[in-house]
Every structure is written in C-alpha cells, then in structure tokens.
Amino acid sequence: MGSFLIFLAIVAAVVVALVVWAIGIYNGLVTARNAFKNAFAQIDVQLQRRFDLIPNLVEVAKKYMAHERETLEAVIAARSAAQSGLAAAKASPGDPAAMAQLAAAQGQLNAGLGRLLAVAEAYPDLKANQNMMQLTEELTSTENKVAFSRQAFNDSVMAYNNKREVFPNSVFAGMFGFQPATLLEIPADKQAQVREAPKVQF
C-alpha cells in the first residue's frame, strides 16, 4: 500500500511538472507574439506621423508647383493607399497578405515622395521656403524612425517564429493556433528606392 502511494505521488509530481512545463511554453509563445505586435505599434506611430506631414508638404509645394498637379495628386493618392495598407496591417500584424499590402503601399508612397522632391529641385523659391525646409527635415527624421521601427518589428517577428518552430514548442504552437508571422519586407523591385530615404535636403 505504501509503495502504491509513493508511485501515485511520483506520477502526480510528473504530471504537475509536465503541466507547468506546457504552461511555460504556452506563455513564452504568447509573450513572443505580444512582443512583435507591440513592435508593430511603433511602426504605426511613425507611419501616422509620416502621413500627417505629407498633406502639409504637398500644400506648400502646390503654391510653387502649379504645373506639377499630376505629381502632387499622385502623392496624395499614394498616401491614401498607404493608410489603407496600414489599417489592414494593424488589424493583423504579421499576417502575410497584410504585410505584403503594407509593404507595396509604402513602396508606392516612397516612390511618389521621391518624384515630388526630385521635381521640387527645379524650383529654387520652393527649396528656399522655410516651411518646406522644416517639413522635409521632419520627413527625413520620420523616415529614419520608420526604418528603425521596421527593423525592431522584424527582429521581434524572427524571435517569435524561432520560438514557435523549435521542438517541442512547434507541437504546442500547432495545437493552440500560433501561426507564423511575416516580416515587413520591401518588395525586391522597389527595394533600392525605398531603402534610400527620399532626398529631402534643401
């Protein structure tokens, strides 16, 4: 009888240890997932700041670039598309389709801003405008913060994916629906122009 009780105690201890171990794995996956979602929130903050700067930039440029209406309208349209892409990504950070939509929209916006600022070079009065100089300086700073936030997000996504893919975490990840997360990457055909922040030195 005594040995049977000892056996039951050992079995109970093993079961408790396994439960605690499983809870630790689950909590680790939740923590890693929350970390990359929080990192995405920082991208959101910086992109919203960028979106807020663009209408002011276009408004200042409009006064000097009356003949560049198409360029100005393209930037505003790209900004709208980028805002939609950000909204989709905010709803599901790490989702492959949402990350692809966001990356493509941001690439288009960057291209539009690059064209606007390149055209602005031909307007000396615009280049010398204090508001334009201040806005382009703020835009440059924001671009740098976006790049930093994107790198932090990608690092967090990689840490989460590594945690969910190693054994035995992968078993629990499958059981509890921890899906792989996708990095926020720049499309290959736009990589060069996006990674170089728009030329905004006036």
Side-chain angles (χ1 to χ4, degrees):
M1 186 68 177
S3 59
F4 181 70
L5 289 175
I6 291 172
F7 173 75
L8 284 179
I10 291 172
V11 169
V14 169
V15 168
V16 168
L18 287 173
V19 168
V20 169
W21 173 69
I23 289 171
I25 290 175
Y26 179 84
N27 287 345
L29 288 167
V30 169
T31 300
R33 183 174 62 190
N34 289 343
F36 83 72
K37 287 184 176 181
N38 180 64
F40 187 83
Q42 300 308 311
I43 294 176
D44 176 41
V45 168
Q46 299 308 327
L47 289 180
Q48 291 293 352
R49 172 64 181 149
R50 185 186 196 209
F51 295 152
D52 290 344
L53 288 169
I54 290 169
N56 296 332
L57 188 74
V58 170
E59 195 59 35
V60 172
K62 192 187 297 183
K63 296 174 184 174
Y64 296 87
M65 299 168 59
H67 302 296
E68 303 293 344
R69 182 176 172 183
E70 186 178 330
T71 300
L72 297 171
E73 288 176 351
V75 171
I76 294 300
R79 174 182 178 266
S80 279
Q83 286 178 305
S84 297
L86 179 58
K90 277 172 65 175
S92 188
D95 175 74
M99 292 297 101
Q101 182 183 351
L102 178 59
Q106 291 300 322
Q108 289 175 350
L109 178 56
N110 242 352
L113 281 171
R115 281 192 298 274
L116 170 62
L117 296 168
V119 170
E121 288 286 333
Y123 295 84
D125 290 343
L126 176 58
K127 287 171 60 176
N129 180 282
Q130 287 297 317
N131 287 338
M132 188 68 171
M133 291 170 68
Q134 181 181 350
L135 286 166
T136 52
E137 186 176 323
E138 289 181 41
L139 184 61
T140 299
S141 173
T142 303
E143 294 290 345
N144 292 335
K145 290 174 184 174
V146 168
F148 179 80
S149 298
R150 189 173 66 84
Q151 184 59 54
F153 169 76
N154 285 345
D155 289 345
S156 295
V157 165
M158 185 169 290
Y160 164 77
N161 284 337
N162 287 340
K163 184 176 283 286
R164 70 171 294 284
E165 288 170 12
V166 297
F167 183 83
N169 294 18
S170 57
V171 175
F172 289 90
M175 286 171 52
F176 293 108
F178 287 90
Q179 298 300 319
T182 301
L183 302 173
L184 178 54
E185 295 184 306
I186 307 303
D189 59 333
K190 294 176 181 169
Q191 197 160 2
Q193 68 187 48
V194 175
R195 287 212 172 149
E196 292 178 17
K199 306 298 184 193
V200 293
Q201 291 79 16
F202 283 87

